[in-house]
Amino acid sequence: MRKVILLLLLFCVAFPITFSAQPLPIEVFDVTQGKVIKSIPLDEKNKAEALKLVKSTDSLFPKLNPTPKTGFMIKVIFDPAEDVETKVFKQPVKQVIFIFPDAEKPYILIFNEKDQPMFYYFSEDFAPFLEMLGID
């Protein structure tokens, strides 16, 4: 019995099993095509840029149907959730979807830790974020 335990310990030391949590990618969804067209790894730089946009939310999105007919959407998941405080809300943010409809002002869909969806306009310049992700 001791030999089995010793061999098991030796095996675990010689061949360690490593688990690394890979961050979920940023996904770009083309509304017209109806599919994800690009997947970008979430790193600290593009995460910070996404959070800058989230923190610039300044008013509620007023339309009843928030789904655009054309344009694209960018999904970013924060794991763990990020605490965000703006002039319109204060709560942890778990996931955001930036919505860029053609010929309309972009807006954002925010999910809190309870997965409640909330739509807002944001005021920060989004061009650096799109450029960072390689989106025209």
Side-chain angles (χ1 to χ4, degrees), residues 4-99:
V4 172
I5 294 173
L6 188 59
L7 284 174
L8 184 59
L9 286 172
L10 183 61
F11 181 78
C12 289
V13 170
F15 302 101
I17 299 172
T18 57
F19 296 100
S20 62
Q22 294 291 329
L24 296 171
I26 295 174
E27 293 181 333
V28 181
F29 180 84
D30 185 300
V31 177
T32 307
Q33 295 180 38
K35 66 179 184 176
V36 174
I37 58 168
K38 192 171 197 175
S39 185
I40 301 114
L42 179 65
D43 60 25
E44 287 303 315
K45 192 173 180 183
N46 53 30
K47 178 181 176 180
E49 198 65 33
L51 277 172
K52 190 186 322 181
L53 295 175
V54 173
K55 290 177 181 178
S56 76
T57 56
D58 56 3
S59 62
L60 287 169
F61 179 76
K63 295 182 182 178
L64 291 177
N65 184 3
T67 308
K69 292 184 181 7
T70 59
F72 62 95
M73 298 186 240
I74 301 171
K75 179 173 77 172
V76 181
I77 298 174
F78 301 114
D79 187 26
E82 294 283 335
D83 289 326
V84 175
E85 182 175 351
T86 71
K87 65 181 185 178
V88 290
F89 74 91
K90 176 185 176 182
Q91 56 190 310
V93 174
K94 184 177 174 182
Q95 175 179 315
V96 297
I97 299 176
F98 299 100
I99 303 169

Side-chain angles (χ1 to χ4, degrees), residues 82-129:
E82 294 283 335
D83 289 326
V84 175
E85 182 175 351
T86 71
K87 65 181 185 178
V88 290
F89 74 91
K90 176 185 176 182
Q91 56 190 310
V93 174
K94 184 177 174 182
Q95 175 179 315
V96 297
I97 299 176
F98 299 100
I99 303 169
F100 296 91
D102 289 340
E104 288 184 48
K105 182 178 178 179
Y107 49 97
I108 186 172
L109 167 58
I110 297 175
F111 291 93
N112 62 15
E113 285 186 309
K114 296 176 185 176
D115 287 326
Q116 296 169 320
M118 301 163 287
F119 289 91
Y120 297 99
Y121 283 117
F122 59 94
S123 59
E124 185 71 31
D125 179 19
F126 55 86
F129 182 61

